[in-house]
Amino acid sequence: MHLKTNASEIYFVTYCRKGKNMKFNPKEIILKDGRKCILRSPEKKDAAAMLDYLKCTSAETHFMVRYPEEITACIESEEISLQDILDNPYNIMIAAFVDGELAGNTGINMVRNHIKMRHRSCLGISIKEAYWHNGVGTALLSEAISFAKRQGYEQLELGVFEDNTRAHALYHHLGFEDWGISRHAFKL
C-alpha cells in the first residue's frame, strides 16, 4: 500500500552531437514585468545565495525532490560543488539573477560517461515562487536546450510531478514529449 505518493513523468528531446564548452556566458533578458534578468553560470561567490535559494524553493512547493531540512551543505562545500560544475566538461548550471537576487536555476548533467549512454543528459529546474509566471523558467529552459544541442547531447530527460500541470504545459510547449511514468517515485 502506498500513501500520499505521486508519479513522476519523464520527458525527452533528441539532438545531434557537436561541441564541448560547459560555462554559460552571461546574457541579459527582459522579463514579462519589464525587469532585467541576468542568466549566467553560478560561481563560488554565489554559494551562500545558492544554499538560501535551494532551501527557499524546497519550502515553497512539493514539486521539489527534497525538503529544506535536507539541504545541509555548508558554504565551503557548496563553493566546491559550484566550481566542480564549472570545471566539468559534461555538466552545466545556468542561474537567473533579478536585481541581484537568485530567482531561478537549471542544470544539465550527463546521465553516465559510458559509451552507450554519453548521448543522454538529464535536466533539473526550479524557480522561486516570487518569479513564477514572469518568463524566468522559459528563458532558462530555452537556453539549456540550446546549450544541450551545442554540446551534442542527443537526448535531454527530466522528471516532473504528475500534478505540476503548469510545468507539463511549459515542457510540451518547448518540445518535450511524454516518455513514461515512474509510479510512486516520490513519497510526500
Side-chain angles (χ1 to χ4, degrees), residues 108-159:
I108 297 175
N109 298 293
M110 179 184 283
V111 170
R112 291 242 199 273
N113 192 8
H114 299 298
I115 293 169
K116 293 181 181 181
M117 297 179 78
R118 286 185 191 147
H119 67 288
R120 294 176 57 204
S121 62
C122 59
L123 179 139
I125 184 168
S126 61
I127 310 297
K128 278 187 178 175
E129 189 174 13
Y131 298 95
W132 290 359
H133 318 298
N134 208 8
V136 175
T138 301
L140 283 171
L141 285 171
S142 297
E143 293 298 336
I145 291 167
S146 293
F147 202 84
K149 288 179 181 179
R150 288 193 307 273
Q151 295 312 321
Y153 286 117
E154 296 172 26
Q155 188 166 301
L156 183 57
E157 307 165 358
L158 64 88

Side-chain angles (χ1 to χ4, degrees), residues 72-91:
T72 59
C74 65
I75 292 173
E76 293 78 18
S77 64
E78 186 65 15
E79 287 174 341
I80 292 168
S81 294
L82 292 174
Q83 188 61 49
D84 285 348
I85 293 167
L86 288 171
D87 294 340
N88 189 309
Y90 304 107
N91 302 337

